[in-house]
Amino acid sequence: MDTHTEQKPVKPRPGPPPRLGRPARRAALVVHVVASASWLGLTLGLLALGITAATGGSAGTVEASVRAMKLFADWLLLPVAFLTLLSGLLLSLGTVWGLARYRWVYTKFWLTLATTTATVFALRPGVNSAVTAVAAGGPLPDAGDVLFGPVVSLSAYVFMTVISVLKPWGKTRRGSERPRAVA
């Protein structure tokens, strides 16, 4: 009788993703910071235009404000939002920070995803409905359409900037686990 039992080959656990080299990491960081700052600046501009539209004045001023908001929302916000999201994802996956190793990185990822989604499904439709109403000669239907999105977005971006600088909360449970040896 053969006492030797055949063992199944052990599949090696996949290791961490490859890290970005220093030049690539620096380039990705510059792109991320510039895109993030652009998104913050665009949001400040949208807020200023929204306040101008909501506090009104002449119909021409309200219409010019919401049309400018539409221009920002249609041509600038989404490319900058996606560039911020993708460059942040590249940095998290290509550096020691990881996507789910530190709570502040994980929080930034989900907030960036949420604000990008809100831009698509809330801010842009709100601005578009304001433009449609004002262009038809009516008043601004709801000041919230032009104010709520920029206020919420600005709050989220400032919060993300603060946690990027302070790096609070430490590691996640996944980040605290010790790497297991591959047998």
Side-chain angles (χ1 to χ4, degrees), residues 11-153:
K11 289 184 181 178
R13 285 180 50 152
R19 301 284 183 227
L20 295 173
R22 187 173 187 199
R25 186 182 71 246
R26 284 180 154 189
L29 182 60
V30 167
V31 168
H32 185 67
V33 169
V34 168
S36 299
S38 298
W39 204 6
L40 182 66
L42 282 167
T43 302
L44 282 169
L46 283 170
L47 182 58
L49 291 167
I51 291 170
T52 301
T55 56
S58 70
T61 300
V62 173
E63 184 173 355
S65 296
V66 295
R67 284 186 182 276
M69 289 182 79
K70 181 171 174 38
L71 183 68
F72 279 16
D74 286 350
W75 291 99
L76 298 173
L77 272 182
L78 286 181
V80 168
F82 286 123
L83 187 58
T84 301
L85 181 64
L86 293 175
S87 62
L89 196 56
L90 175 66
L91 280 169
S92 66
L93 296 175
T95 65
V96 296
W97 294 110
L99 181 60
R101 291 188 65 211
Y102 291 87
R103 287 183 180 96
W104 70 272
V105 176
Y106 201 59
T107 300
K108 276 186 62 176
F109 170 74
W110 287 107
L111 277 174
T112 302
L113 192 60
T115 52
T116 300
T117 302
T119 297
V120 172
F121 294 109
L123 188 140
R124 290 183 71 217
V127 169
N128 287 337
S129 70
V131 168
T132 301
V134 171
L140 187 64
D142 182 7
D145 285 345
V146 295
L147 290 175
F148 185 70
V151 167
V152 170
S153 296

